[in-house]
């Protein structure tokens, strides 16, 4: 089982979108039984809330559901998950500041080659959920390609 946690600031816009898109790609690849997928935020302001309406709308447009409720990342997540994937550099430093853990921490857009952008822009401020979806979609495919052989090997 490969456990993957996507992390942003509020856990209502970017990381629930990444979680939902990655889960859809995993399902299409027939690998649902090999993965546990979740998301969390580095901040607690929105704990318990559903994803932002903009995130739910763009996912729905692409035929993907989202029933995630926001939660805050805890130190234990860095031991529970194999991969912790940050949406931007600030998220990544905040995750690393929790300290230790066995999870491999990465930045989401590292997994998509040639995008020319390092951070997933925050649609909470930009309002551009379509731009974020395109980046998330590219990186989800890249991340799955990178970690799926390991999932196969553990079967
Ligand atoms: P997210 O976006 O980190 O992609 O979920 C944000 C959501 C809420 C806030 C900031 C960013 N906020 O300040 O409330």
């Amino acid at each position: 089982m490969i456990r993957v946690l996507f992390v942003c600031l509020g856990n209502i816009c970017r990381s629930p979108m990444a979680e939902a898109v990655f889960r859809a790609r995993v399902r299409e690849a027939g690998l649902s039984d090999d993965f546990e997928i979740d998301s969390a935020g580095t901040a607690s302001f929105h704990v318990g809330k559903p994803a932002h309406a903009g995130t739910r709308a763009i996912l729905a447009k692409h035929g993907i559901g989202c029933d995630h409720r926001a939660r805050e990342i805890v130190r234990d997540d860095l031991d529970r998950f194999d991969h912790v994937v940050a949406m931007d550099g600030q998220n990544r430093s905040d995750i690393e500041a929790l300290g230790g853990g066995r999870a491999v921490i990465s930045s989401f857009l590292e997994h998509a080659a040639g995008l020319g952008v390092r951070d997933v822009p925050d649609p909470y401020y930009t309002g551009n959920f379509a731009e974020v979806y395109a980046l998330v979609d590219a990186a989800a495919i890249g991340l799955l390609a990178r970690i799926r052989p390991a999932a196969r090997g553990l079967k």
Side-chain angles (χ1 to χ4, degrees):
M1 180 68 77
I2 301 289
R3 295 180 173 83
V4 185
L5 181 70
F6 295 96
V7 179
C8 62
L9 175 62
N11 192 215
I12 56 170
C13 297
R14 294 166 293 172
S15 61
M17 194 191 299
E19 175 195 342
V21 170
F22 188 72
R23 181 176 291 115
R25 298 297 165 253
V26 162
R27 188 179 299 129
E28 285 162 11
L31 296 170
S32 296
D33 291 345
D34 293 313
F35 283 91
E36 184 181 313
I37 305 157
D38 193 10
S39 65
T42 59
S44 61
F45 343 111
H46 299 286
V47 167
K49 290 191 197 161
H52 192 286
T55 282
R56 285 185 284 122
I58 195 81
L59 286 170
K61 192 176 159 190
H62 293 273
I64 300 173
C66 174
D67 58 7
H68 183 76
R69 294 280 170 163
R71 73 170 180 92
E72 189 176 7
I73 189 171
V74 292
R75 168 65 187 71
D76 188 51
D77 287 322
L78 301 187
D79 282 321
R80 218 159 65 70
F81 287 87
D82 302 294
H83 297 276
V84 173
V85 185
M87 295 300 116
D88 65 33
Q90 184 62 56
N91 305 148
R92 185 172 179 154
S93 335
D94 291 341
I95 295 162
E96 286 168 350
L98 293 172
R102 60 175 196 88
V104 174
I105 299 169
S106 65
S107 298
F108 197 27
L109 299 188
E110 280 171 21
H111 303 287
L115 289 176
V117 48
R118 194 183 287 263
D119 291 339
V120 180
D122 196 334
Y124 189 77
Y125 303 113
T126 68
N128 194 341
F129 287 84
E131 169 197 38
V132 171
Y133 184 89
L135 293 170
V136 163
D137 196 29
I141 291 165
L143 175 63
L144 180 57
R146 189 165 289 182
I147 68 181
R148 69 181 283 170
R152 285 249 166 99
L154 289 175
K155 242 183 169 176

